[in-house]
Amino acid sequence: MDAVKSILTPFGFTSNAIQDTLKLVVIGGTVETVRRVSSSAWSNFVDSFFLTAHFSQEDYPYDWIMHWLAKQPAWSRSREFEITTRSGGRNAMQSNTTGDLEDEDSEDDELVHGRRRRKVALMPSVDTTHTIYYRGHWLRVTRSRRNDAWSGSYQELTISVVARNNGILKTLVLEAKKEYERDAEHRVHIFMADVYGSWRWNGARQKRPMSSIVLEPGVKEMLINDCKDFLRSEDWYAERGIPFRRGYLLHGVPGSGKTSLIHSLAGELGLDIYVVSLSSKGMSDNTLNSLMGRVPSRCILLLEDLDAAFTRSVSRDSGSTGAPPTTTSADGTTASSKKAATTEESDGSTLSLSGLLNSLDGVAAAEGRLLFATTNHIERLDPALSRPGRMDVWVNFSNATKWQAEGIFKCFFPSAESRAKRLAEMTSALEADGTNHLPGSPQQRSRKTKVSTHSAPLLSDAEISELAKQFADAIPDGEMSVASLQGYLLKNKTRPHESVAEAAAWVIKERETKAKLKKEKEEKEKKEEEADAKEKEEKKQARKEKRKAEKEAAKKAAESSDGSSSDSEDETKKSEKKSKSVKWEKVEMPAETIPALVTAMILTPIATPTLESAPLTPSSESSSESDAAFVDALVDAATTTAPAAEAPTVSALAASTVGTAEITTPAVAAAA
């Protein structure tokens, strides 16, 4: 201490100031040490006694817990909350929660400007901690939001509790699961695929009873029994080494009830529906494989309009039946290839048929799911896509028959006995369970039931059967779709007698409408064909004009070049004219003079013209004179070296070899 004082004294520090400073340092260090020790002790305590469970929005337990929390009074008494009119997500399957703000003076069925009154709910804020008392334990619940580069934004739920084991959390999860499944008994959850290769909840729909689906006798029963048998046969498939997958191909005319049947099957089997849009933006082979790998084991996987999803590459070869029609353009490319390239550039989809096939039954394909695919044109599908193993069961949907028309009429207008029986079944189910099976709170069910404005007059079974038969007789067999019949009956949902009486007139009107639409379509196609033909003719005419212009330009260029080379052409013509004056002659000489002539040709030093000065064809006067002199010299040499003798004469051409070119020397005419 004295040493520190001796050091600090020269700088103006007194002993009292030094003591005060040291005291503050000691106090601050002590406080910080206590804080760190206490924090470490609390962390150890939390790690030793606090149990923490994390629930991600990507999995089902998150939905169970959120649905359970929505019914807890403490959840609605949060000190920090959000006021919203939108549902909280996948957990918001029921119409009321403990956090709803209700107006006692208004009815839920009351319409305001054609819409029901919006319900205002209190939702605890994100990134805040809430305390809930559950079975003798205090639960600390935190809802947070996370951001992921691959899956985007998602929520996460954290629950902490002080306990020696995780039994309390297991009890909580199981209770939330049972309550969720009980309330979701009359709901079908729909999941849609996104561009990140994940599944997003798209909403919960009311289950559709199978009695509302009218198909040919035996079709519904066959599908239900086949699906149930498959779901119970996992061990049978495993014992025989067969992949635990099942595919159903529903094909036929539009509006025949393919999608409605899948919705009803999902409600009957208690399965969720996972929908994949193969033509969506950004869909690729890797994305589809990722989606198929994340499909739950018990669900319905739906591929809608399979033929329309592969308009760019429906088959693996151009000769397959699914290839779209192509038209060759002037540049040699096809119209379909141009359209395909444009579409791929615009939507970024790189999905191929091979990728789809591998995702359906490849090594990484999910098992235990029911695959349903719908198409309006089965002939466009590649055989590899519709073969057994991928599509095991085929169901054909056609236009409504008379039997179907009668059944649809009975669904729209149930008899008094059927309606009373159905109401009794619903009431008994509510009394047996004592829970909220149907949407709405107990307070809502205790209210006075309002008479529906859409209720049809109650008729007996005999009357309904007679009206249904008359309605079926008025509907032509196999001409109207199920959707058109449903649309007609929706317009007359409270008028059973009038709907039967006006059915014949409606059929005539529908035929006229179809004929009109068909005529308009034919006219439109004819106009398009004429426009295409006109466009082709214009292109053809443009190509002709272009070629004509090119020829004229080439002709003009040739004429301009002819003017510049006129002098050279004149000289050429003069040389040709002079060459025409050259005549070829035979030279008569005795036979014995030939050896001497050859010797003279070799030994006589006469200047011979070169190729440049003496071309193969005589073209100048100087070359002709030199050639004549050359011949005369040869003849003179031959006559002086060899004596004249009587011998037969031969005709020989005087020839000279200049370089490597053989030149036949002509005699010059006298005129030259």
Side-chain angles (χ1 to χ4, degrees):
M1 182 65 67
D2 296 336
V4 174
K5 290 181 180 180
S6 61
I7 295 174
L8 296 178
T9 300
F11 297 96
F13 291 96
T14 61
S15 60
N16 294 332
I18 295 173
Q19 291 178 358
D20 295 339
T21 302
L22 294 178
K23 289 179 181 180
L24 292 176
V25 170
V26 172
I27 294 173
T30 305
V31 172
E32 178 64 18
T33 303
V34 172
R35 188 191 67 80
R36 294 188 179 185
V37 171
S38 60
S39 177
S40 177
W42 176 253
S43 300
N44 294 332
F45 173 78
V46 170
D47 295 340
S48 302
F49 297 97
F50 265 88
L51 299 177
T52 303
H54 299 271
F55 302 89
S56 177
Q57 191 180 10
E58 304 295 330
D59 207 353
Y60 283 107
Y62 177 87
D63 306 329
W64 306 340
I65 299 299
M66 289 298 295
H67 179 68
W68 179 83
L69 289 173
K71 294 185 175 182
Q72 304 303 314
W75 185 254
S76 61
R77 294 194 299 266
S78 174
R79 305 292 296 178
E80 186 176 352
F81 52 85
E82 301 172 359
I83 300 179
T84 178
T85 58
R86 295 182 174 88
S87 59
R90 287 159 57 170
N91 59 291
M93 67 173 65
Q94 62 180 16
S95 58
N96 285 79
T97 63
T98 57
D100 291 346
L101 301 179
E102 297 182 2
D103 189 357
E104 299 295 339
D105 298 334
S106 64
E107 297 289 340
D108 289 340
D109 294 335
E110 183 180 354
L111 300 181
V112 179
H113 301 294
R115 298 182 300 178
R116 295 188 182 276
R117 291 184 178 273
R118 292 185 180 272
K119 294 182 178 181
V120 182
L122 303 181
M123 177 68 65
S125 301
V126 181
D127 295 330
T128 56
T129 302
H130 314 278
T131 304
I132 297 177
Y133 188 77
Y134 173 73
R135 294 194 177 188
H137 296 79
W138 288 99
L139 305 180
R140 300 175 70 249
V141 183
T142 304
R143 187 169 64 97
S144 58
R145 183 177 286 110
R146 298 287 184 268
N147 293 319
D148 191 358
W150 296 100
S151 58
S153 178
Y154 65 95
Q155 293 185 5
E156 187 180 52
L157 196 66
T158 303
I159 299 180
S160 301
V161 60
V162 178
R164 293 185 177 181
N165 53 56
N166 56 6
I168 186 64
L169 292 178
K170 291 181 179 179
T171 304
L172 172 63
V173 173
L174 293 177
E175 181 179 341
K177 178 177 179 292
K178 291 179 181 179
E179 190 168 349
Y180 179 89
E181 292 176 348
R182 184 171 58 247
D183 291 342
E185 183 178 356
H186 294 276
R187 296 274 181 167
V188 175
H189 292 269
I190 312 296
F191 295 85
M192 299 292 294
D194 59 12
V195 296
Y196 301 103
S198 303
W199 296 101
R200 295 296 182 184
W201 183 78
N202 193 53
R205 308 289 185 267
Q206 285 285 351
K207 288 184 179 181
R208 182 169 181 173
M210 289 296 295
S211 59
S212 64
I213 304 298
V214 182
L215 300 177
E216 289 298 315
V219 176
K220 289 192 301 183
E221 291 75 9
M222 181 272 295
L223 285 175
I224 293 175
N225 294 333
D226 188 86
C227 292
K228 290 182 178 179
D229 179 72
F230 168 76
L231 295 175
R232 292 192 299 260
S233 305
E234 185 174 2
D235 295 336
W236 187 91
Y237 276 80
E239 290 174 358
R240 288 155 181 80
I242 303 175
F244 187 51
R245 292 187 287 264
R246 192 73 169 168
Y248 301 85
L249 180 61
L250 311 183
H251 62 93
V253 298
S256 54
K258 297 184 287 293
T259 306
S260 301
L261 175 62
I262 297 172
H263 186 186
S264 298
L265 280 174
E268 182 72 18
L269 302 174
L271 302 177
D272 295 334
I273 300 178
Y274 288 74
V275 184
V276 179
S277 179
L278 300 178
S279 59
S280 62
K281 182 179 180 180
M283 182 62 66
S284 62
D285 294 345
N286 294 333
T287 303
L288 186 60
N289 287 329
S290 178
L291 290 170
M292 293 301 184
R294 297 182 180 182
V295 173
S297 59
R298 302 284 174 153
C299 71
I300 290 180
L301 181 62
L302 176 58
L303 304 178
E304 285 191 299
D305 296 330
L306 197 59
D307 58 298
F310 282 93
T311 53
R312 297 189 300 273
S313 56
V314 72
S315 61
R316 292 173 292 182
D317 59 312
S318 59
S320 178
T321 57
T326 58
T327 56
T328 305
S329 60
D331 55 357
T333 59
T334 59
S336 63
S337 62
K338 288 183 176 180
K339 184 178 180 181
T342 305
T343 306
E344 289 180 0
E345 291 176 359
S346 60
D347 60 11
S349 177
T350 58
L351 180 64
S352 63
L353 180 61
S354 299
L356 174 61
L357 299 179
N358 292 331
S359 65
L360 293 181
D361 61 352
V363 177
E367 295 189 354
R369 86 289 186 275
L370 296 174
L371 173 65
F372 279 85
T374 63
T375 178
N376 296 332
H377 303 280
I378 190 174
E379 69 278 0
R380 297 181 182 177
L381 300 183
D382 193 281
L385 184 59
S386 57
R387 68 164 176 82
R390 294 191 177 107
M391 303 297 170
D392 304 285
V393 181
W394 291 19
V395 181
N396 183 25
F397 287 74
S398 59
N399 287 328
T401 61
K402 291 183 176 295
W403 187 87
Q404 286 180 287
E406 183 177 351
I408 293 173
F409 186 89
K410 291 181 179 180
C411 288
F412 271 82
F413 306 103
S415 62
E417 293 83 356
S418 300
R419 187 176 298 181
K421 183 179 179 181
R422 184 180 178 184
L423 183 60
E425 291 177 353
M426 295 170 59
T427 305
S428 61
L430 290 174
E431 292 177 353
D433 294 342
T435 55
N436 181 17
H437 276 260
L438 298 177
S441 62
Q443 292 80 4
Q444 284 182 307
R445 296 199 302 270
S446 64
R447 292 176 181 176
K448 183 179 179 180
T449 304
K450 298 176 64 177
V451 179
S452 175
T453 57
H454 302 302
S455 298
L458 298 179
L459 302 176
S460 62
D461 289 338
E463 291 176 327
I464 292 296
S465 299
E466 182 64 23
L467 290 175
K469 187 176 181 181
Q470 295 177 8
F471 178 77
D473 293 337
I475 301 301
D477 194 9
E479 184 176 343
M480 301 296 173
S481 65
V482 177
S484 61
L485 291 180
Q486 181 175 329
Y488 171 73
L489 293 176
L490 281 173
K491 297 178 181 178
N492 302 276
K493 53 181 172 290
T494 60
R495 305 163 60 238
H497 295 88
E498 291 79 356
S499 62
V500 175
E502 300 171 359
W506 172 77
V507 171
I508 296 174
K509 186 178 179 181
E510 284 292 310
R511 288 174 176 172
E512 294 176 353
T513 304
K514 288 183 178 180
K516 182 180 178 181
L517 294 176
K518 184 178 180 181
K519 184 179 179 180
E520 292 178 354
K521 182 179 179 181
E522 291 176 353
E523 292 178 354
K524 183 179 179 181
E525 291 177 352
K526 186 178 180 181
K527 290 181 180 179
E528 290 178 353
E529 291 177 358
E530 292 177 354
D532 293 340
K534 184 178 179 181
E535 184 179 358
K536 290 181 180 179
E537 186 66 24
E538 291 177 355
K539 290 182 178 179
K540 185 177 179 181
Q541 188 66 23
R543 289 196 298 270
K544 288 183 179 180
E545 293 178 357
K546 184 178 180 181
R547 287 197 296 267
K548 185 177 179 180
E550 291 176 353
K551 288 181 179 180
E552 292 179 355
K555 186 177 180 181
K556 291 181 179 179
E559 290 177 354
S560 61
S561 61
D562 290 343
S564 61
S565 60
S566 58
D567 297 338
S568 60
E569 289 181 356
D570 293 340
E571 294 178 358
T572 304
K573 289 180 180 180
K574 289 180 180 180
S575 61
E576 290 178 355
K577 192 172 183 181
K578 291 180 180 180
S579 63
K580 289 180 180 179
S581 61
V582 179
K583 295 182 179 179
W584 298 94
E585 292 182 351
K586 292 182 180 180
V587 180
E588 300 288 343
M589 63 181 63
E592 60 271 11
T593 62
I594 294 177
L597 179 61
V598 174
T599 304
M601 291 173 63
I602 297 174
L603 300 177
T604 303
I606 299 176
T608 58
T610 61
L611 286 175
E612 292 76 2
S613 61
L616 295 178
T617 303
S619 58
S620 62
E621 184 177 359
S622 59
S623 62
S624 300
E625 294 176 356
S626 61
D627 292 339
F630 179 68
V631 172
D632 294 339
L634 291 177
V635 173
D636 293 340
T639 54
T640 55
T641 55
E646 296 291 336
T649 61
V650 296
S651 299
L653 291 174
S656 64
T657 304
V658 182
T660 57
E662 182 179 342
I663 300 176
T664 303
T665 306
V668 183

